[in-house]
Amino acid sequence: QVQLLESGGGLVQAGGSLSVSCAAPGRSLTTNAFGWFRQAPGKEREFVAAVDWNGASTLYADSLKGRAAILRDRAKNMVYLEMSSLKPDDTGVYYCAVSSKHSASRDTSDYYIWGQGTQVTVSQ
């Protein structure tokens, strides 16, 4: 069974930057799109960013547009989410997910493998 391993979360002050990583060891997922989602306490899980199978096309949530970049390294089977100008509203558990499709998607139902999540906390 494919596992996704997120890392890189932590505590950062508002206005700061943070990168989170997602590894998919043991299996090639080079034809799958990847996505990042987040869930804040008491809120539904929401879409953050997605990248298509070859990294050519990306999607971002409006709340993060201009402040985030999703990148993938197909050779290493890694996906990264780089965030800047962070706000307290960006706080949450960030989840990496693998899509069953080649193209990037905002729809959680397109994703069938999920990581355990990594906590990102942005302080005032």
Side-chain angles (χ1 to χ4, degrees):
Q1 184 175 354
V2 177
Q3 287 187 316
L4 298 178
L5 303 174
E6 298 103 333
S7 62
L11 175 65
V12 63
Q13 287 189 328
S17 301
L18 192 70
S19 294
V20 289
S21 302
C22 174
R27 180 171 170 176
S28 174
L29 295 167
T30 55
T31 61
N32 299 76
F34 274 77
W36 283 96
F37 295 78
R38 68 186 181 189
Q39 187 166 18
K43 294 187 177 181
E44 296 289 319
R45 188 172 299 187
E46 64 175 358
F47 169 76
V48 173
V51 61
D52 72 351
W53 73 279
N54 68 352
S57 178
T58 55
L59 293 173
Y60 295 95
D62 288 343
S63 61
L64 279 155
K65 201 168 290 184
R67 301 191 295 119
I70 184 170
L71 307 165
R72 69 182 298 168
D73 185 331
R74 298 174 74 228
K76 296 181 179 179
N77 234 17
M78 295 284 295
V79 178
Y80 308 92
L81 179 68
E82 300 176 347
M83 298 178 287
S84 61
S85 301
L86 285 163
K87 306 173 183 178
D89 284 348
D90 294 319
T91 294
V93 178
Y94 281 67
Y95 297 92
C96 177
V98 177
S99 173
S100 58
K101 300 184 176 181
H102 300 312
S103 58
S105 171
R106 303 172 187 271
D107 191 346
T108 56
S109 66
D110 288 335
Y111 296 83
Y112 71 108
I113 303 173
W114 293 82
Q116 295 298 309
T118 184
Q119 177 70 46
V120 172
T121 303
V122 184
S123 63
Q124 296 281 1

